[in-house]
Amino acid sequence: MNADRLHDPAAVRKARGAFFTPPELCAFVARWAIRSSADRVLEPSCGEAAFLLACGECLRAFGSGAPDERQLTGIELHQESADRARARLAENLLPATVTVANFFDCEASGRPYDVVTGNPPYVRYQWFRGEDRRKAREAALVQGVRVSGLASSWAAFVVQATSFLAPEGRMGLVLPAELLTVNYAAPIREFLLRRFSQVRLILFEKLVFPGVLEEVVLLLAEGQGPTAHFELCQVQGLEDLLQMRIVPSRWAPETPSEKWTGALISREAADRCRSALDQGIFQPLLDWGETYLGMVTGNNRYFTLSAAEAKSLKLPSKDLIPISPPGSRHLRGLSFSRVAWEEMVEGDFRVFLFRPESGEPKGAAAAYIRKGEKEKVHSAYKCRVRSPWWRVPVVPTPHLFLTYMNHDTPRLVGNPDGFWFLNSIHGVGLHPDRVEIGSEVLPVAALNSLTLLAAELVGRSYGGGMLKIEPKEADQLSVPSAALLQASREDLLDLRPQLSEALRGGDLPGAVQLVDRVLLLQHAGFQERDLTALQKAREHLFSRRAARGDG
Ligand SMILES: C[S@@+](CC[C@H](N)C(=O)[O-])C[C@H]1O[C@@H](n2cnc3c(N)ncnc32)[C@H](O)[C@@H]1O
């Protein structure tokens, strides 16, 4: 570790999004971007000048000597990083101008650059606030792009960086792969297709930043747009990229802002997903009902209790509500019934939520509240902001539970006995006319290859290779339609004993195969080759995600 890093601890670097790009990746981008010895390069947020160094070397290789200092410009917020950038450029005999400034304060005036390159800061919106966020959003707005308040810093950065670029220039940026998927990046996806004539994305199956969990994509954009499509190349890691083992595939989103994840799968699989929706065989989960967050206690250790604990505290049942215990591991079957809950009572799981009835608590409940105060439970943030601190706001009991953080796939699980639930899972409240069939058949029917693939497309991959699905994303999950379930209901219900057994044994693929045969082949008119395409596509996305989990 060098001396600068000692004065620039990891947490501080994280707050300004300082992760440094491997030199091989910078060299690759530089070789793509630099096309003449006269090219002028800007690296906004240049850190220690990783890209300027690589571009400088390329310029030198093109020309007869070192480039002139007006050809290499860096901007960096952090004084020490800028000093280090200058020192490294000087060591490499590359004259350059590195300015200490907030890039969002810089205005594009004078001659535009032929190349804008770098790795912008990825600061999440929770940390990207106040003046910084205001400036960033304003800068993007000047370019006609409205960036949401939920966007990470990189989004506005891309737009601002483009304003420094010549119309026919090249932009090579390392961005978070969420560019393809998250809703807040929709205006950026749209902007890129509008501004550039060629947009190429390179995705890495393995993580390329040592020690950084963020999945990245390399954006190589050039020329004066618009264009209707982008190109996508998937490579394993840096080695493939350097050896040019890349095969681009073209993808034209239906609307420029829609998620681009579909580009990661075969055309056949993508078409099948789309046509199933068009034909009304599948529909978004939102058509079935609303997905919502579970209860937030502020301190599960205090508020959730096992039956034995509740008994020893002498808490009466009127002050307790029965819940699906914290976590989601127990939700692997088709439904979470009273029998399953009672088994968890026996297993000493936290099956109750402490929630005194309205009015002033008395007796054992009052004593338990005093105990909480003694243990400072009431000063936890979520408890502090409600009154009284011990009354957890309840949300309606859902018809279905949806597990949202999974290694394999989100599970829709029936809740026939109406248990309450915490925010370790989501709930789905079905529309009144769909309650009966939805509660009974949807958990079975959702175990099909198309829905499994759709989950990979709408969800986001999370640390450790997990797939996370937020309520808004769950709304878009393709599940079989009510019409298809009416038609296949009896056959699907007949499968339940076999399915339950497969799921108990942890055999998800076996369960999916059973449902695919009945639902997709017998009732939905799918062919074997459709199934193969869907399964392959899902397998591909699943292994990408799992590979990233392995680091
Ligand atoms: C992800 S690092 C990338 C550094 C370098 N481009 C690289 O790839 O190695 C992001 C850099 O942006 C700088 N930075 C963060 N916000 C900035 C801003 N508003 N203006 C200029 N630089 C900024 C950080 O200090 C950090 O050095």
Side-chain angles (χ1 to χ4, degrees):
M1 186 184 281
N2 64 36
D4 282 350
R5 293 279 158 82
L6 288 176
H7 293 117
D8 190 14
V12 178
R13 272 186 279 134
K14 185 175 174 191
R16 59 171 209 282
F19 301 108
F20 298 103
T21 313
E24 304 88 327
L25 183 54
C26 300
F28 174 84
V29 178
R31 282 200 300 275
W32 167 80
I34 302 293
R35 300 189 185 168
S36 112
S37 61
D39 278 347
R40 294 171 65 251
V41 181
L42 171 69
E43 182 178 3
S45 76
C46 69
E48 299 180 1
F51 286 88
L52 286 180
L53 284 164
C55 289
E57 290 307 336
C58 274
L59 285 170
R60 183 157 32 216
F62 253 108
S64 46
D68 113 22
E69 72 173 8
R70 283 161 306 180
Q71 285 182 267
L72 295 175
T73 304
I75 296 171
E76 169 57 50
L77 185 65
H78 184 237
Q79 177 73 53
E80 272 110 281
S81 298
D83 291 345
R84 180 97 189 104
R86 291 184 189 118
R88 291 179 74 198
L89 287 157
E91 274 162 31
N92 286 276
L93 307 178
L94 289 169
T97 313
V98 176
T99 310
V100 177
N102 182 337
F103 183 48
F104 291 115
D105 285 333
C106 302
E107 242 178 71
S109 55
R111 226 177 104 199
Y113 291 87
D114 305 291
V115 173
V116 174
T117 184
N119 179 359
Y122 316 158
V123 184
R124 301 226 160 266
Y125 79 96
Q126 297 94 324
W127 311 108
F128 183 50
R129 310 188 152 150
E131 197 49 6
D132 280 352
R133 181 152 85 193
R134 190 191 57 75
K135 278 183 189 166
R137 293 179 70 191
E138 254 178 45
L141 205 53
V142 172
Q143 305 302 311
V145 181
R146 191 174 294 277
V147 176
S148 132
L150 294 176
S152 294
S153 58
W154 66 265
F157 215 92
V158 171
V159 183
Q160 165 82 341
T162 313
S163 69
F164 287 76
L165 193 65
E168 293 300 329
R170 275 89 57 204
M171 187 160 85
L173 296 179
V174 178
L175 297 175
E178 65 187 24
L179 161 68
L180 281 88
T181 55
V182 293
N183 294 333
Y184 78 69
I188 309 302
R189 296 193 281 271
E190 200 169 12
F191 169 72
L192 291 173
L193 295 183
R194 183 156 33 91
R195 164 62 180 82
F196 293 100
S197 60
Q198 194 185 334
V199 176
R200 177 174 281 190
L201 296 164
I202 298 180
L203 266 162
F204 301 91
E205 291 188 12
K206 293 194 188 136
L207 294 170
V208 284
F209 283 72
V212 178
L213 270 186
E214 186 81 52
E215 191 197 346
V216 298
V217 57
L218 177 59
L219 167 73
L220 303 175
E222 63 181 292
Q224 183 75 53
T227 175
H229 68 265
F230 62 91
E231 285 177 10
L232 188 102
C233 317
Q234 295 188 67
V235 297
Q236 285 257 312
L238 279 179
E239 320 77 55
D240 279 2
L241 183 65
L242 302 178
Q243 291 168 25
M244 298 301 288
R245 283 200 292 260
I246 51 180
V247 187
S249 65
R250 266 176 158 225
W251 182 262
E254 284 212 333
T255 60
S257 61
E258 77 176 26
K259 289 191 181 187
W260 290 357
T261 340
L264 297 173
I265 60 175
S266 69
R267 173 69 55 191
E268 214 181 341
D271 286 349
R272 204 64 195 91
C273 290
R274 205 170 277 170
S275 64
L277 286 170
D278 292 346
Q279 294 163 4
I281 310 171
F282 275 69
Q283 57 191 169
L285 183 58
L286 185 61
D287 289 358
W288 279 93
E290 191 203 346
T291 301
Y292 53 94
L293 300 170
M295 294 184 281
V296 179
T297 67
N299 184 334
N300 280 354
R301 281 216 65 74
Y302 173 80
F303 285 102
T304 64
L305 301 157
S306 70
E309 280 170 319
K311 192 169 169 205
S312 80
L313 290 163
K314 299 198 172 52
L315 290 167
S317 57
K318 69 178 176 55
D319 293 331
L320 299 168
I321 57 177
I323 53 168
S324 164
S328 64
R329 283 207 182 153
H330 53 288
L331 299 173
R332 288 291 172 270
L334 298 172
S335 80
F336 183 68
S337 63
R338 180 152 285 275
V339 175
W341 183 80
E342 276 162 4
E343 278 170 17
M344 298 194 82
V345 170
E346 293 305 313
D348 218 24
F349 285 86
R350 299 172 167 268
V351 290
F352 287 115
L353 177 78
F354 174 61
R355 190 166 192 290
E357 268 192 338
S358 47
E360 204 44 44
K362 303 206 175 62
Y368 193 56
I369 290 172
R370 281 196 299 279
K371 178 174 182 286
E373 285 166 358
K374 216 164 128 202
E375 290 167 6
K376 302 264 178 286
V377 176
H378 63 305
S379 49
Y381 175 71
K382 288 286 174 194
C383 302
R384 235 173 37 225
V385 296
R386 65 186 178 225
S387 176
W389 68 266
W390 42 263
R391 183 160 291 140
V392 175
V394 289
V395 297
T397 60
H399 300 108
L400 303 172
F401 295 129
L402 175 70
T403 64
Y404 66 76
M405 187 69 109
N406 302 273
H407 176 65
D408 50 21
T409 200
R411 309 295 181 101
L412 271 173
V413 178
N415 181 25
D417 297 305
F419 288 100
W420 272 266
F421 72 117
L422 305 175
N423 66 339
S424 43
I425 49 179
H426 296 329
V428 181
L430 297 169
H431 297 314
D433 58 334
R434 298 203 171 189
V435 169
E436 202 192 324
I437 186 161
S439 311
E440 194 180 37
V441 197
L442 201 51
V444 175
L447 292 168
N448 70 80
S449 290
L450 195 151
T451 299
L452 259 65
L453 170 59
E456 299 290 334
L457 293 171
V458 297
R460 59 187 73 179
S461 79
Y462 215 67
M466 303 295 268
L467 179 67
K468 186 174 184 196
I469 186 157
E470 303 283 4
K472 280 262 162 295
E473 292 159 348
D475 285 347
Q476 300 311 318
L477 181 69
S478 288
V479 293
S481 68
L484 178 59
L485 289 208
Q486 293 290 4
S488 55
R489 177 183 194 143
E490 295 308 318
D491 292 335
L492 287 173
L493 292 182
D494 284 350
L495 286 179
R496 279 194 302 193
Q498 281 167 278
L499 284 177
S500 298
E501 199 183 318
L503 294 173
R504 253 197 310 278
D507 181 13
L508 177 69
V512 171
Q513 205 175 14
L514 288 168
V515 176
D516 278 353
R517 304 246 136 245
V518 170
L519 183 78
L520 301 185
L521 294 182
Q522 274 177 36
H523 287 276
F526 281 49
Q527 307 292 317
E528 286 284 355
R529 63 162 195 281
D530 297 324
L531 275 193
T532 312
L534 294 173
Q535 283 157 357
K536 268 196 177 159
R538 190 263 167 180
E539 188 50 39
H540 174 62
L541 296 182
F542 173 76
S543 21
R544 267 180 62 83
R545 174 160 70 74
R548 290 194 299 276
D550 297 341

